[in-house]
């Protein structure tokens, strides 16, 4: 039996509306969901179905209009970053003026780690993803797949509890995208983190043991039937 107090994130009756009155768009409504350590979940749905809105709510990057999102084993919204919650976007959002190593080191410095320790931990994360040889390169010198894997190494360095990825393979060809999903799953498995990946590609979703579906802002998650009748 799994208990909500052991969850990494719990969304209860969550809704998010953008705009007001006649122009209001209900991007997510009545969403109930929970992610536990070790869960690997793909969120499927067409463009505009509300996947990004849901992910931003689970990441604490946005707040629900109705309902509540909590992070029972992590803490409050202000304790999510840098560190426990790592977010990967469609484009890697690396700082263009910083080298790969500096990019991976930066969140650790911001979290208060000493420079030597931060660099050691960042190099270790790059090594885990076979990216050591890119350490001194600038983001503009990387391929799309390499940049996305550096973004994943940056999360790994901060020892994540929960990894949320919003269409991380959306701008990559299938083989490169597959390699990026491999990296995400490997990092989540090594760290025993929970992993949630948004995708509109059924072939990517197939690779996850659990699949949620978004359609018109409505989330469907597989539920264990507890009814006895
Ligand atoms: P998906 O990621 O599945 O493509 P989104 O969560 O981006 O879907 O969007 C869901 C709906 O909410 C869409 O109709 C979109 O236009 C709307 N939406 C998303 N973000 C905003 C915003 N910041 N302002 C207004 N409408 C938004
Ligand atoms: Mg989206």
């Amino acid at each position: 039996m799994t208990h909500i107090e052991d969850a990494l994130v719990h969304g209860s009756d969550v809704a998010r509306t953008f705009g007001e009155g006649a122009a209001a768009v209900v991007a997510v409504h009545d969403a109930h969901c929970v992610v536990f350590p070790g869960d690997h979940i793909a969120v499927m749905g067409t463009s505009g179905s509300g996947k990004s809105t849901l992910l931003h709510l689970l990441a604490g990057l946005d707040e629900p209009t109705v309902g509540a999102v909590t992070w029972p084993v992590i803490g409050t919204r202000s304790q999510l970053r840098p560190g426990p919650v790592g977010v990967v976007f469609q484009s890697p959002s690396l700082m263009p003026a910083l080298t790969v190593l500096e990019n991976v080191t930066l969140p650790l410095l911001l979290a208060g780690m000493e420079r030597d320790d931060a660099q050691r931990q960042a190099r270790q994360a790059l090594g885990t993803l076979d990216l050591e040889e890119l350490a001194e390169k600038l983001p503009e010198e990387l391929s799309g797949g390499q940049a996305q894997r550096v973004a994943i190494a940056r999360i790994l360095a901060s020892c994540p509890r929960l990894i949320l990825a919003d269409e991380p393979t959306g701008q990559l060809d299938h083989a490169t995208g597959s390699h990026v999903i491999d990296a995400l799953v490997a990092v989540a498995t090594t760290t025993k983190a929970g992993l949630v990946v948004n995708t509109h590609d059924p072939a990517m979703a197939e690779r996850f043991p659990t699949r949620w579906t978004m359609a018109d802002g409505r989330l469907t998650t597989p539920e264990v039937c507890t009814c006895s009748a």
Side-chain angles (χ1 to χ4, degrees), residues 186-206:
V187 165
T189 304
T190 312
T191 57
K192 299 186 173 65
L195 172 64
V196 180
V197 179
N198 281 353
T199 180
H200 61 258
D201 179 350
M204 293 297 174
E206 280 289 310

Side-chain angles (χ1 to χ4, degrees), residues 39 45 55 93 110 113 119 130-131 173 192 199 203 211:
D39 282 352
L55 189 120
S93 66
L110 292 175
M113 197 180 275
Q119 285 201 348
D130 278 334
L131 296 168
D173 63 71
K192 299 186 173 65
T199 180
R211 289 185 285 279

Side-chain angles (χ1 to χ4, degrees), residues 5-20:
E5 55 265 34
D6 301 324
L8 296 165
V9 61
H10 176 221
S12 175
D13 193 23
V14 170
R16 177 64 165 104
T17 303
F18 293 106
E20 287 178 8

Side-chain angles (χ1 to χ4, degrees), residues 51-52 166-167 198:
K51 301 182 300 298
S52 294
D166 193 7
E167 310 232 22
N198 281 353

